[in-house]
Amino acid sequence: MPSPSHIHPSLAQVRQLGLITDDELDDAIAELEIIELQRKHNEEEGIDVPELAAGAGLVDTLAWLLLTDLLPQDDFLQRVRDLPRQHGGAALLERQQLAADALRQVNRQAIDTLYDEDLIDQWQRDAAHARLPADRLLASPVAALRDMLRQGILSAPQFEALRLRTRQRGSELGRIIVDGAAQRAHRPAYARPVTWVMPVLLLVVVLAVAGRSIMSRQAPSPATIAEQGVERPELQQNAAHAVESARLPGAGPDLSITVVQDGATPPAP
């Protein structure tokens, strides 16, 4: 196999900077070879994957690795966070700047896809370009559209109008992007605590039914009636307090819960 520097000098340099691993470098070299084979055998059809230009610099090369997922974004972002432990001074700044520029470039392409598919206008595109994140990856146009909603560049009424327009006369890709963003629409902050209301109400109903069943089977003595007269208001107060607590944002029954997250969610707006 030809040396990495012969295939593409920038790949070897990115490896020397420690921003990719040996395995990721090998995968990138193999990808370039596959693209070259496709070009030779399908000259008329063209290449259906992102290509790395022969004269691409470090930013373009790193952006290409991220765009093709040859460099997994989670691994890359963790690697960038670990840079201060390994480097300092100019060496650290060089690597951090390169990583930030590459992220912006990939994110810019996601925004440009929205513009190319006529999902946003020029003003919205320019506003999104001005606020491109440099510490995270907008891995798709769907994520880019969701980020514009989060930042307020695209308002909720504008998004609803966009959904209607896309259904009527949008491209197939445009409809896929908008539908994907709509499926992850923002939920109000109080939505999750309210999910505790039904279990608490069910508990109250069960207690009430059980109490009536017991009362119907045995006639209470005066002493029991007096005792229940003290306990029942207390039970009702406790149940009402539990229901009211479940309605309040951030509140809930006193339970110990272990939460396992299966992935990141778009930050709340």
Side-chain angles (χ1 to χ4, degrees):
M1 179 181 293
S3 66
S5 59
H6 176 71
I7 293 228
H8 206 294
S10 290
L11 279 174
Q13 193 170 350
V14 169
R15 175 66 190 100
Q16 291 172 359
L17 292 172
L19 295 176
I20 61 175
T21 65
D22 287 336
D23 289 341
E24 290 162 353
L25 176 60
D26 291 342
D27 290 342
I29 293 174
E31 180 72 9
L32 291 176
E33 291 182 337
I34 292 172
I35 291 175
E36 185 62 27
L37 288 174
Q38 287 182 337
R39 181 181 290 107
K40 289 180 179 179
H41 292 85
N42 302 288
E43 293 181 358
E44 296 181 358
E45 296 181 7
I47 307 300
D48 58 356
V49 295
E51 295 188 66
L52 179 63
L58 294 179
V59 173
D60 291 335
T61 299
L62 194 54
W64 174 76
L65 290 166
L66 288 166
L67 186 62
T68 56
D69 204 33
L70 290 166
L71 175 54
Q73 63 164 311
D74 290 341
D75 294 345
F76 173 68
L77 293 176
Q78 183 59 52
R79 208 167 293 158
V80 172
R81 286 191 288 267
D82 291 340
L83 285 175
R85 303 176 187 174
Q86 307 167 13
H87 307 281
L92 174 61
L93 292 177
E94 177 189 11
R95 289 163 173 80
Q96 289 177 329
Q97 188 63 51
L98 175 57
D101 290 344
L103 284 170
R104 288 193 187 96
Q105 182 161 315
V106 177
N107 292 341
R108 179 183 291 270
Q109 292 183 32
I111 297 295
D112 288 344
T113 299
L114 299 178
Y115 180 74
D116 294 340
E117 294 301 318
D118 196 28
L119 300 179
I120 58 175
D121 57 31
Q122 183 176 351
W123 181 89
Q124 291 166 333
R125 181 198 63 184
D126 294 344
H129 281 173
R131 303 184 192 179
L132 288 173
D135 58 348
R136 56 191 173 87
L137 187 65
L138 302 179
S140 68
V142 173
L145 187 58
R146 209 178 303 145
D147 193 67
M148 291 181 66
L149 279 165
R150 184 188 65 82
Q151 295 193 59
I153 299 174
L154 190 68
S155 67
Q158 287 174 327
F159 180 70
E160 289 304 318
L162 172 61
R163 291 182 64 185
L164 178 60
R165 176 167 60 83
T166 305
R167 288 197 200 102
Q168 294 175 344
R169 56 181 186 276
S171 66
E172 182 178 358
L173 177 57
R175 289 193 295 270
I176 292 173
I177 293 172
V178 173
D179 289 344
Q183 289 175 4
R184 299 291 300 272
H186 300 296
R187 290 179 293 180
Y190 54 81
R192 186 172 298 274
V194 172
T195 60
W196 290 106
V197 173
M198 290 307 298
V200 174
L201 288 177
L202 181 60
L203 176 61
V204 173
V205 171
V206 170
L207 290 174
V209 172
R212 286 198 298 269
S213 176
I214 294 173
M215 289 294 294
S216 64
R217 294 180 183 178
Q218 60 182 20
S221 64
T224 304
I225 295 176
E227 183 178 355
Q228 289 178 347
V230 174
E231 292 180 353
R232 183 167 297 176
E234 181 179 352
L235 175 62
Q236 293 174 345
Q237 290 176 3
N238 291 339
H241 176 71
V243 175
E244 187 61 26
S245 297
R247 291 198 183 102
L248 296 176
D254 186 12
L255 299 176
S256 178
I257 302 174
T258 300
V259 178
V260 179
Q261 297 182 347
D262 58 1
T265 61

